[in-house]
Amino acid sequence: QQQVKQSPQSLIVQKGGISIINCAYENTAFDYFPWYQQFPGKGPALLIAIRPDVSEKKEGRFTISFNKSAKQFSLHIMDSQPGDSATYFCAARVQPTGGTSYGKLTFGQGTILTVHP
Amino acid sequence: NAGVTQTPKFRVLKTGQSMTLLCAQDMNHEYMYWYRQDPGMGLRLIHYSVGEGTTAKGEVPDGYNVSRLKKQNFLLGLESAAPSQTSVYFCASSWGFAQHFGDGTRLSIL
């Protein structure tokens, strides 16, 4: 049961182009949507995240667009660079309950991005 | 400040052997997690812990056991390794939103 569906599986972009990765979810209990970036041989690292009360968040060349009604969110990488070549994972967190701040993350399948120079 | 450290980095086991993967974090995080990463399947949660002395099952717990005797350490055990457990294992820790990952243990079961 894949609660977060990510596409495409792989993406090839030319340097300077825009990379777009999409994710869709079904569970309305999700309350936090992070994107992780993973380089070969390394663990995933938090790139950018958004809460569902915001439609867009931008940090440098990276932007998350969030459509609550469609239950979709996407990562846009502007002016893509060869150094952006990595695997990207979207994720969604179930809203914490019981007075704790803990909520399990569910990850998408991952997108392998290759930026050609 | 090392963050999250996993040992070993690589290991090859024979079917039926047992082993323990160690995760240590120096950020005083309350929550810790074990994931496995397989091609095309993202990261799947094996077990997690919300505090010292507590553990809980994640999405794919079968064949694994965990212990959190100290706040900074989270151990993942395979009692009788199977080829289906060939994977890359990641440990993470968090307090609040962001999870911080180690660099993984690549485990092959022959």
Side-chain angles (χ1 to χ4, degrees), chain B residues 36-76:
Chain B
R36 60 178 289 172
Q37 182 177 13
D38 302 290
M41 303 193 74
L43 291 108
R44 293 181 292 168
L45 184 64
I46 304 172
H47 286 280
Y48 64 97
S49 168
V50 298
E52 181 179 316
T54 70
T55 63
K57 294 180 180 180
E59 181 184 352
V60 288
D62 293 342
Y64 305 96
N65 56 76
V66 289
S67 64
R68 183 117 181 254
L69 299 180
K70 294 183 178 181
K71 185 177 183 178
Q72 65 267 33
N73 295 335
F74 195 27
L75 278 63
L76 177 71

Side-chain angles (χ1 to χ4, degrees), chain A residues 95-103, chain B residues 31 95:
Chain A
Q95 186 174 12
T97 59
T100 72
S101 63
Y102 169 73
Chain B
Y31 311 139
W95 176 249

Side-chain angles (χ1 to χ4, degrees), chain A residues 1 32 36 38 41-44 46 51 89 93 100-102 104-105 107-109, chain B residues 31 33 35 37 40-43 45 48 50 90 95-99 101-103:
Chain A
Q1 179 186 356
Y32 167 70
Y36 281 80
Q38 183 183 28
K42 297 294 185 180
L46 180 63
R51 298 292 299 270
F89 293 98
R93 187 189 79 158
T100 72
S101 63
Y102 169 73
K104 285 188 287 185
L105 279 181
F107 285 85
Q109 300 93 323
Chain B
Y31 311 139
Y33 320 81
Y35 293 91
Q37 182 177 13
M41 303 193 74
L43 291 108
L45 184 64
Y48 64 97
V50 298
F90 287 98
W95 176 249
F97 291 112
Q99 292 191 13
F101 286 81
D103 285 338

Side-chain angles (χ1 to χ4, degrees), chain A residues 5-16:
Chain A
K5 295 184 178 181
Q6 183 173 345
S7 62
Q9 285 187 314
S10 61
L11 180 62
I12 298 175
V13 175
Q14 294 296 317
K15 179 182 176 180

Side-chain angles (χ1 to χ4, degrees), chain B residues 1-94:
Chain B
N1 190 342
V4 178
T5 302
Q6 293 184 233
T7 53
K9 295 189 185 305
F10 305 95
R11 187 73 183 269
V12 178
L13 290 178
K14 293 182 179 179
T15 298
Q17 288 185 317
S18 63
M19 80 160 295
T20 300
L21 281 64
L22 173 64
C23 177
Q25 53 98 1
D26 61 3
M27 297 172 283
N28 201 35
H29 285 165
E30 202 68 34
Y31 311 139
M32 295 188 75
Y33 320 81
W34 276 106
Y35 293 91
R36 60 178 289 172
Q37 182 177 13
D38 302 290
M41 303 193 74
L43 291 108
R44 293 181 292 168
L45 184 64
I46 304 172
H47 286 280
Y48 64 97
S49 168
V50 298
E52 181 179 316
T54 70
T55 63
K57 294 180 180 180
E59 181 184 352
V60 288
D62 293 342
Y64 305 96
N65 56 76
V66 289
S67 64
R68 183 117 181 254
L69 299 180
K70 294 183 178 181
K71 185 177 183 178
Q72 65 267 33
N73 295 335
F74 195 27
L75 278 63
L76 177 71
L78 286 73
E79 292 186 346
S80 180
S84 61
Q85 295 178 305
T86 293
S87 187
V88 182
Y89 291 86
F90 287 98
C91 175
S93 70
S94 73

Side-chain angles (χ1 to χ4, degrees), chain A residues 14-75:
Chain A
Q14 294 296 317
K15 179 182 176 180
I18 302 174
S19 303
I20 302 174
I21 304 171
N22 301 298
C23 285
Y25 66 96
E26 289 296 326
N27 191 345
T28 57
F30 290 146
D31 75 333
Y32 167 70
F33 300 87
W35 284 88
Y36 281 80
Q37 180 187 55
Q38 183 183 28
F39 293 107
K42 297 294 185 180
L46 180 63
L47 183 63
I48 186 172
I50 197 168
R51 298 292 299 270
D53 53 347
V54 176
S55 62
E56 184 176 283
K57 183 174 182 180
K58 183 177 181 179
E59 291 184 0
R61 296 184 293 108
F62 300 90
T63 300
I64 299 178
S65 297
F66 188 83
N67 186 329
K68 189 174 182 179
S69 61
K71 297 180 187 174
Q72 296 175 348
F73 59 109
S74 60
L75 176 69

